[in-house]
Amino acid sequence: MLNTHTIMIVEESSDISMITSRIFQYQKWQVVKASTGDEALSFLISNVVDIILMDINLPGMSGVECCEKIRHLPDRFKSSIPIIAVTGNNLNLTLNEYQSMGFTYFYQKPVDFGILIDKIKSIIEKNIKDKS
């Protein structure tokens, strides 16, 4: 099976976005980058991705607000795209608390990319099975 999945990275830091993008491209994944929640939402109006990696602290609209808006999109497929929260802040929130905000999973920065890639693969695989 080819890993022709599309991953959206929503991250204000161009350095982090670039590094993450290169690592994901090594997995043969298509990568779409947005530096704000507004850019992410604008892209999703006319495009689809398999999973979103969302920084919590974005300029303007926060990652939490963006996640909430995605969850309220009228397109049922788009509103159910898995979203992984990524944060550098130690908010001491549990997975259940992130899930109650609409996120599928979360990671604390700095990210271990080996673990993150495995988690993304398992979420995408589960999502595909759930939709079939």
Side-chain angles (χ1 to χ4, degrees):
M1 181 174 91
L2 292 174
N3 293 326
T4 57
H5 302 298
T6 302
I7 315 294
M8 176 184 272
I9 301 168
V10 187
E11 168 64 58
E12 73 171 305
S13 166
S14 60
D15 291 338
I16 292 172
S17 182
M18 180 185 64
I19 292 166
T20 306
S21 176
R22 286 188 180 163
I23 290 169
F24 289 170
Q25 288 168 346
Y26 185 74
Q27 297 296 314
K28 305 290 188 236
W29 295 337
Q30 298 295 315
V31 176
V32 175
K33 296 187 275 186
S35 59
T36 67
D38 287 324
E39 284 180 22
L41 288 169
S42 292
F43 181 84
L44 289 174
I45 289 171
S46 57
N47 300 280
V48 177
V49 298
D50 294 296
I51 194 165
I52 299 170
L53 194 64
M54 174 102 51
D55 187 12
I56 295 294
N57 296 313
L58 295 170
M61 178 190 324
S62 73
V64 173
E65 292 170 300
C66 186
C67 179
E68 182 178 316
K69 289 185 183 221
I70 291 169
R71 294 295 177 235
H72 288 95
L73 290 172
D75 181 315
R76 201 173 76 146
F77 180 79
K78 291 178 183 181
S79 67
S80 66
I81 294 169
I83 304 172
I84 298 176
V86 180
T87 181
N89 288 339
N90 188 1
L91 301 175
N92 293 321
L93 298 177
T94 65
L95 175 58
N96 287 338
E97 289 169 310
Y98 277 102
Q99 288 174 330
S100 73
M101 292 185 275
F103 292 99
T104 309
Y105 206 76
F106 83 99
Y107 271 96
Q108 183 77 30
K109 290 178 185 175
V111 172
D112 178 322
F113 282 101
I115 293 171
L116 178 60
I117 287 168
D118 287 344
K119 188 63 179 179
I120 289 171
K121 287 178 181 177
S122 72
I123 290 172
I124 289 174
E125 189 175 298
K126 180 184 180 311
N127 202 38
I128 290 169
K129 285 179 184 175
D130 289 349
K131 292 188 185 209
S132 51

